Amino acid sequence: MSEVEVSPQEGVNGPEPSAAGHAATDAPAPRVPSVADVVGATIAAHGVEDAFGILGSGNLVVTNALVRHGARFHHARHEGSAVCMADGYARVTGAVGVCSVHQGPGLTNTMTGLAEAAKSRTPVLVLAGETPAAALTSNFRIDQHDLVESVGAIADRVHSAKTAADDAARAYQRAITERRPVVLMLPIDIQPQPAEQTTPSRPPLPRLDPPEPSPDAIRQAAALLTTAERPVIIAGRGAVLANAGAQLERLAATIGAVLATSAPANGLFAGLPYALGISGGFASPFAAQVLPRADVVLVFGASVNHWTTKHGAMIGPAARLIQVDVEPRAIGRNRPADVAIIADAKTTAQALTSELNRRSHARQGFRTKQLADEIAQHSWRHDPYEDASTEDWIDPRTMSIALNELLPRDRAVAVDSGHFLGYPSMFLDVPDARSWLFPNGFQAVGLGLGNAIGAAIAKPDRPTVAAIGDGGAFMALAELETAARLKLTLLVVIYDDAAYGAEVHHFAPMGHDVSLVRFPDADLAGIARAAGAKAATVRRVDDLGVVTEWLVNPHGPLVLDVKVNPTICAEWLEEAFRAG
Ligand SMILES: Cc1ncc(C[n+]2csc(CCOP(=O)(O)OP(=O)(O)O)c2C)c(N)n1
Ligand SMILES: [Mg+2]
């Protein structure tokens, strides 16, 4: 260990200093809290119940303080997954996800998950050690500030012993107000200093009230809506973050709209009779028929990108668009908006409903009994397909449909990236949008398991499903041990095609050699058992009986190595690659 690494920590961890400065016979004088102590205590005082991470010399003391002041700490096996756990925890609870890492390599290991949290606008706080400003030759030295800002996170810092509590409070609150991950750098020479401030002296950052829609924009949108015969509301992650589900349904009922979501907002309208599910590449054939018939499309907190519109196919050419978003730059980015409202989804839905009530506008629009019946009869589950199961392999659709039936309604589902990702998106129901984790903002493989672990810790009384590919499973493998050690109610479903299927199905039809992205069959159930989990290999529906058994006492993970037919290519994949 380098001097830089040891000496600052000794000041905190070492023998209790006596008032006289030498061995004391009396009770030791109360230790002056260090900066690290104060940072941990200040973060905990915000009501943090759980934190994730990996401990090293640069973050042990601050994490101990966090725990002393009431938080539980869940040790991951790789920082890449630790930050995903904090992300998943935040997605489910709506609270800030907290992650603690060592300086230098501890922080670089978080980069992919941090980029995902930034792209999905998850409030996450990473506590990261940092080499002292003067330690120019430290092995751990990198430019942590620019590193994290380059992936869209906010770099903040504990400046001094005089400001420790204010700095910590500011960083925590910024994650909420700016809806982004914040990395609070904790220089390791400042951490052991006696804190000169133990509680924040500044008032909390002003709560950023969601921007209100302008009355003029509401009037314009209401005027357009009074002409709408067949309106559609498409809600995205912005609507989820704004908790706008109920207000959007009320608006939709007033104007006679059907409802749909982007993939990340799946579940927002779960169970509602006029909800068509996901719009875009995962849309059911029935939804794909209905959505383009809309004459007015209201978009709330979604970027209406090619995923959500299936390269434009979900929105008819003559449809008028009303776009609501808190981000001015989201407006018209992918499709011109006829009316733009820069405001929060929930307050805008409320204001529009009030304005339409004031105008005594109420339309049946799309909302006929016949359409509700058709929606109920034409979900993905009812869509006929030719079962491509064989002796050795199960059809991933068949497995997903059967699994959906076995699981209780109250569950969470986290989906990794890869060819397989459409199957859980289409066939596994979730009770609400906060139970749906779609860490695909960065399209990185390997984040699903960490997200699922965070979700399982957030809500331990229901099963959480990690739907991942074999490639994603291998990337996050170490965390199977975490799930077993923490005895999580976690069902890991590995869509195992012994390949990077996304690459196989994209490149093989073009005549490229894809042998490099195919692998020998791997015993992922055996690996999971070795990590301490229950596990089973699944080749037919009957093999899913283990899920029913597990649900009787689901403490500790069950890992299913589902040998899916690798020859099936999903329709959405070509769609995905058209985007580049
Ligand atoms: C971190 C990362 N590395 C590589 C890729 C490129 N990539 C996209 S999908 C994929 C294959 C993933 O394999 P698997 O998890 O088994 O899912 P499958 O496509 O086979 O269903 C790869 C390597 C990526 N998106 N992210
Ligand atoms: Mg695969």
Side-chain angles (χ1 to χ4, degrees):
M1 254 191 266
S2 70
E3 263 181 43
V4 161
E5 203 193 348
V6 175
S7 56
Q9 297 308 326
E10 280 176 354
V12 175
N13 278 338
E16 300 279 299
S18 72
H22 45 74
T25 46
D26 300 327
R31 189 167 66 108
V32 177
S34 68
V35 166
D37 292 329
V38 166
V39 170
T42 307
I43 301 300
H46 282 83
V48 172
E49 290 179 11
D50 296 279
F52 306 86
I54 289 194
L55 297 187
S57 57
N59 64 324
L60 185 135
V61 178
V62 69
T63 309
N64 274 346
L66 194 60
V67 170
R68 258 199 323 278
H69 288 88
R72 283 174 302 182
F73 182 70
H74 310 283
H75 225 135
R77 288 298 187 186
H78 192 284
E79 290 88 348
S81 291
V83 74
C84 293
M85 292 173 199
D87 184 349
Y89 183 91
R91 288 182 199 234
V92 168
T93 59
V96 175
V98 175
C99 178
S100 173
V101 297
H102 185 69
Q103 65 269 24
L107 184 64
T108 54
N109 271 355
T110 66
M111 276 313 117
T112 309
L114 199 62
E116 167 59 34
K119 292 204 184 247
S120 289
R121 305 301 300 265
T122 319
V124 164
L125 177 68
V126 178
L127 303 171
E130 189 180 38
T131 51
L136 296 179
T137 58
S138 164
N139 294 80
F140 288 137
R141 182 167 204 84
I142 51 167
D143 182 347
Q144 296 196 171
H145 182 104
D146 281 10
L147 177 71
V148 307
E149 292 255 331
S150 74
V151 300
I154 296 167
D156 208 330
R157 178 167 284 99
V158 168
H159 298 284
S160 72
K162 289 197 184 83
T163 58
D166 281 333
D167 296 335
R170 181 188 61 242
Y172 185 92
Q173 291 158 15
R174 286 185 79 186
I176 300 169
T177 55
E178 300 187 39
R179 292 202 318 197
R180 277 205 282 157
V182 173
V183 179
L184 179 63
M185 313 289 177
L186 305 167
I188 61 168
D189 53 343
I190 296 179
Q191 283 193 53
Q193 293 175 12
E196 291 173 44
Q197 180 193 46
T198 51
T199 51
S201 64
R202 299 200 183 149
L205 290 182
R207 266 184 61 90
L208 274 196
D209 287 327
E212 299 265 341
S214 87
D216 194 40
I218 290 294
R219 278 192 293 272
Q220 276 182 49
L224 181 51
L225 284 172
T226 53
T227 70
E229 303 282 339
R230 294 176 310 282
V232 163
I233 290 179
I234 298 178
R237 186 149 164 82
V240 175
L241 292 169
N243 286 324
Q247 289 71 18
L248 290 174
E249 163 59 5
R250 219 163 294 138
L251 172 62
T254 305
I255 60 178
V258 288
L259 300 158
T261 69
S262 65
N266 185 29
L268 188 63
F269 302 125
L272 295 176
Y274 294 98
L276 288 162
I278 299 174
S279 171
F282 305 150
S284 69
F286 184 69
Q289 270 174 34
V290 175
L291 291 168
R293 289 173 46 212
D295 54 357
V296 176
V297 178
L298 285 113
V299 178
F300 285 85
S303 59
V304 266
N305 60 17
H306 64 88
W307 301 107
T308 306
T309 65
K310 207 174 182 183
H311 290 275
M314 294 285 137
I315 300 182
R320 315 285 302 277
L321 194 89
I322 300 170
Q323 190 177 359
V324 181
D325 209 292
V326 288
E327 302 277 356
R329 65 191 168 146
I331 304 286
R333 187 166 8 155
N334 295 300
R335 186 179 165 118
D338 296 279
V339 179
I341 305 181
I342 299 173
D344 171 74
K346 191 198 286 198
T347 49
T348 303
Q350 280 166 333
L352 273 175
T353 308
S354 306
E355 176 64 16
L356 290 161
N357 287 344
R358 201 182 62 75
R359 295 177 186 217
S360 305
H361 175 83
R363 279 270 164 87
Q364 190 184 30
F366 258 131
R367 294 195 163 204
T368 61
K369 166 95 178 56
Q370 191 196 340
L371 187 76
D373 291 344
E374 284 177 325
I375 290 173
Q377 287 156 20
H378 290 92
S379 75
W380 263 121
R381 196 161 321 127
H382 302 100
D383 194 51
Y385 66 95
E386 207 170 307
D387 191 321
S389 302
T390 67
E391 266 300 293
D392 296 322
W393 297 317
I394 190 165
D395 186 313
R397 293 164 289 193
T398 307
M399 188 279 292
S400 306
I401 292 166
L403 183 64
N404 191 52
E405 295 299 315
L406 292 177
L407 292 170
R409 187 178 174 276
D410 190 15
R411 86 271 297 246
V413 177
V415 183
D416 205 338
S417 223
H419 163 250
F420 77 90
L421 102 168
Y423 302 121
S425 305
M426 294 177 339
F427 298 114
L428 296 187
D429 298 328
V430 286
D432 51 55
R434 289 255 175 228
S435 305
W436 172 248
L437 297 95
F438 197 70
N440 282 286
F442 193 30
Q443 278 185 252
V445 173
L447 311 186
L449 184 57
N451 258 261
I453 289 175
I457 286 169
K459 289 232 174 177
D461 297 333
R462 64 176 185 185
T464 293
V465 179
I468 63 182
D470 49 312
F474 277 112
M475 283 197 198
L477 208 53
E479 307 309 339
L480 289 180
E481 188 275 341
T482 303
R485 176 170 31 89
L486 300 180
K487 299 192 172 44
L488 301 181
T489 302
L490 180 72
L491 179 65
V492 181
V493 180
I494 305 174
Y495 289 77
D496 181 1
D497 62 354
Y500 290 157
E503 320 306 344
V504 172
H505 296 302
H506 180 56
F507 288 106
M510 297 179 202
H512 291 284
D513 181 354
V514 291
S515 52
L516 290 179
V517 285
R518 286 200 168 116
F519 299 92
D521 183 61
D523 180 13
L524 277 156
I527 291 171
R529 270 186 221 110
K534 292 193 182 105
T537 304
V538 174
R539 295 181 193 277
R540 49 191 62 82
V541 168
D542 285 352
D543 296 335
L544 291 174
V546 286
V547 175
T548 313
E549 286 162 29
W550 174 73
L551 283 168
V552 176
N553 181 22
H555 302 298
L558 173 64
V559 177
L560 302 179
D561 180 9
V562 185
K563 303 295 187 186
V564 296
N565 186 334
T567 65
I568 304 174
C569 176
E571 252 177 60
W572 66 81
L573 196 78
E574 280 318 306
E575 199 62 44
F577 276 107
R578 268 214 280 159

